[in-house]
Amino acid sequence: MSEEFSYSERDLKKGFDFKALNELVPEKRLLPSLAEFANELGLSPNFEQVLGLHPDFSHLKHSESLEEHYIVSMFVDIKGSTNLFKKYEPQTVWGITNTIQRAAIHTCLIFGGYVHRLQGDGLFVYFGGKGISTSSAVNKALQFSSVFTYFVKEDLKKLFDEKGIEKIDTRIGIDLGYDRDVVWGMAGIGEISEVTTCSLHTSLASKMQGSATSNGIVVGYNILKESPNLTEYYTTVCARTRKENDRYIFRIPEEGFNYTQYDFAWEKFLKKQDFIATDMFGNLQLKNKTVVIPNRAISNLAPIAVKSKPYFNF
């Protein structure tokens, strides 16, 4: 026996306009506080970026050529997004996921990342390229993932709370493939194609986000290797789960290859960044290069309108 009922009968609509929610994060305009943040870091986001076409490898489009070049791959996932359909109408789910995706894109552009693909409820992002060192790409990826996760945990939570939406979390997986590990080329045919990577470490980044906790970040050994000064922020995933099988994300026993995955303590890392300070209560603050403006805590950066959320406090 089957039973059918509509969303209205289940009373799942939370009483807000999804279009209004979507407008809180504009498409091609940085929100005031994020623009200020970018200015203080001396960074200029490129809104002309083309999805699925890293500029350093765009010449491979419509080509049979392949190139080997390192890249940092990152997958950002909205945890439990499928279950949102149990509680909300499709338009509401769309508003939630699109708000998070736009927030991630804005933050990614600030830190020089390349949005490669929007995957339903998440994103696939690259960091690095020609003329950028692996260590610099790794650091930018860690900065982006830490800042964005903070937004989700603090700012977006407040925004969604105001709209009657229950807690939304993200999970992030990051890994680095060296030149010998990564092949760039055009996948597909004609315009049904993209310039992308074929690499174990791209695949592992996706797999590692599944190992992360709510609002957690998991990275591969190569990330740790390229950031030797950050070892205090890495702990093996098995230390958290208490399951030794979780130590390695990938193994080739016959070759003795065991690749370790690590939880990344992003909150501790964020507090140590040059552009961040903490007040006497441990709250995060944005440093100003030239003048000190009172009341610049991340939780209260500036008295700007609601439309500036979720970046009003950064």
Side-chain angles (χ1 to χ4, degrees):
M1 181 177 178
S2 63
E3 181 179 358
E4 297 182 357
F5 45 92
S6 67
Y7 282 102
S8 59
E9 288 172 324
R10 292 163 64 183
D11 193 26
L12 296 182
K13 189 170 183 178
K14 291 296 182 177
F16 71 90
D17 184 351
F18 78 92
K19 291 183 179 179
L21 177 64
N22 187 55
E23 289 172 357
L24 294 179
V25 186
E27 182 181 359
K28 285 192 174 183
R29 178 175 57 83
L30 285 180
L31 297 161
S33 57
L34 191 59
E36 178 187 4
F37 171 59
N39 181 62
E40 292 191 9
L41 290 184
L43 301 174
S44 299
N46 176 21
F47 280 115
E48 302 308 313
Q49 219 182 85
V50 178
L51 187 71
L53 198 63
H54 191 301
D56 289 348
F57 306 97
S58 59
H59 61 281
L60 296 174
K61 187 77 169 178
H62 304 305
S63 166
E64 296 298 322
S65 299
L66 299 176
E67 286 190 21
E68 295 181 349
H69 196 280
Y70 92 87
I71 202 69
V72 175
S73 299
M74 178 188 302
F75 283 83
V76 180
D77 174 66
I78 302 175
K79 183 180 179 183
S81 58
T82 303
N83 288 329
L84 293 175
F85 289 98
K86 295 180 180 179
K87 303 176 181 179
Y88 307 108
E89 293 182 347
Q91 288 186 341
T92 302
V93 175
W94 183 89
I96 294 170
T97 57
N98 195 50
T99 296
I100 294 176
Q101 284 183 330
R102 283 190 173 183
I105 291 170
H106 285 189
T107 314
C108 177
L109 294 179
I110 286 293
F111 286 100
Y114 301 94
V115 181
H116 185 66
R117 190 180 303 142
L118 302 180
Q119 299 187 225
D121 58 358
L123 296 89
F124 173 23
V125 178
Y126 287 133
F127 281 86
K130 297 177 180 179
I132 304 173
S133 68
T134 54
S135 59
S136 177
V138 165
N139 189 57
K140 292 296 184 183
L142 294 176
Q143 288 179 327
F144 157 73
S145 57
S146 298
V147 169
F148 175 67
T149 303
Y150 179 89
F151 286 156
V152 172
K153 184 179 178 181
E154 302 295 335
D155 294 5
L156 289 180
K157 179 180 182 297
K158 295 173 184 176
L159 172 64
F160 290 147
D161 282 348
E162 292 174 4
K163 301 298 182 180
I165 300 172
E166 296 178 14
K167 182 180 179 184
I168 304 294
D169 297 321
T170 60
R171 299 182 299 181
I172 296 177
I174 313 172
D175 203 13
L176 162 69
Y178 292 103
D179 291 353
R180 64 181 181 274
D181 304 317
V182 182
V183 174
W184 288 84
M186 188 189 82
I189 58 173
E191 293 305 320
I192 312 171
S193 65
E194 64 179 7
V195 176
T196 190
T197 56
C198 179
S199 172
L200 167 66
H201 298 281
T202 296
S203 297
L204 292 183
S206 175
K207 191 174 181 180
M208 282 187 283
Q209 62 86 14
S211 298
T213 59
S214 296
N215 294 327
I217 301 172
V218 171
V219 306
Y221 171 73
N222 285 353
I223 296 293
L224 180 150
K225 183 180 178 181
E226 288 297 322
S227 52
N229 296 330
L230 303 179
T231 54
E232 64 183 294
Y233 304 116
Y234 301 112
T235 56
T236 57
V237 169
C238 67
R240 164 172 52 85
T241 66
R242 299 183 182 277
K243 297 178 181 179
E244 186 60 27
N245 286 340
D246 291 335
R247 178 179 298 275
Y248 306 115
I249 189 67
F250 186 78
R251 306 181 72 180
I252 307 178
E254 57 272 23
E255 297 182 12
F257 180 76
N258 301 300
Y259 196 72
T260 307
Q261 58 178 343
Y262 301 86
D263 283 321
F264 180 61
W266 61 268
E267 288 178 288
K268 293 181 180 179
F269 169 77
L270 191 57
K271 291 180 180 180
K272 295 294 185 179
Q273 298 309 292
D274 292 339
F275 52 84
I276 293 293
T278 55
D279 62 20
M280 61 184 296
F281 302 106
N283 298 315
L284 301 185
Q285 297 177 319
L286 174 62
K287 290 182 180 178
N288 188 290
K289 292 180 180 178
T290 56
V291 297
V292 177
I293 301 176
N295 203 27
R296 289 180 60 88
I298 280 187
S299 60
N300 192 15
L301 178 64
I304 58 182
V306 171
K307 284 189 176 181
S308 293
K309 290 185 177 180
Y311 299 109
F312 78 97
N313 60 359
F314 200 83

